[in-house]
Amino acid sequence: PGATVDMYNLVLDCMAVTAANVTDPYTLVYHTDVLHPRNVEFFFEQAICRHELDGGDGTNYFLPRNDNVYTVPNIVTFNAPLRLCSSLPYEAQQPQDNSAGKSFLDKVSSFMDPTQLIYKMQRDEALVAAMFTFDRLTHCRVVRWSPASFAYMIKLCGKY
């Protein structure tokens, strides 16, 4: 009983498709909590936890390998979080070097702009979530890698 891997895949894929269609980072950061990288990481961890509760990859000597088709993850389980993280819009301003006439407080206030800090925090969380997902993909014995996984990681690293 409980959620199947297909249910988790549906939610993860919907989150990834929705994030790909958001073009304004302001809208994403301030008006949607659903598409946050932590949320996609939470759903991914839930899917992997279901897999491990049924035996996982068979690395434990006391539990058999998971062969339950309802809880074994597939490539969508791994690619959806990678796709979401790589398709998040990111528009952080580049630092400008016109500090000749600025006071120290002006420099600090321009550095501590809340919008830019939120963009950078979201960027860092997207990188952490993607690296965590990719690490789990490389260590999972029941799922084969796909070229899309590498394409999403290259896109993510190239963007940030």
Side-chain angles (χ1 to χ4, degrees), residues 8-29:
Y8 286 116
N9 287 347
L10 182 64
V11 172
L12 288 169
D13 202 41
C14 287
M15 292 169 77
V17 168
T18 305
N21 291 325
V22 175
T23 57
D24 183 21
Y26 178 83
T27 304
L28 187 68
V29 168

Side-chain angles (χ1 to χ4, degrees), residues 56-96:
D57 293 337
T59 55
N60 189 343
Y61 294 110
F62 302 110
L63 293 174
R65 186 176 186 168
N66 181 12
D67 59 354
N68 184 353
V69 296
Y70 298 113
T71 59
V72 173
N74 54 31
I75 196 63
V76 176
T77 312
F78 294 94
N79 278 353
L82 293 175
R83 184 170 43 160
L84 181 132
C85 293
S86 68
S87 65
L88 287 175
Y90 175 69
E91 293 181 13
Q93 295 175 352
Q94 298 297 324
Q96 299 172 355

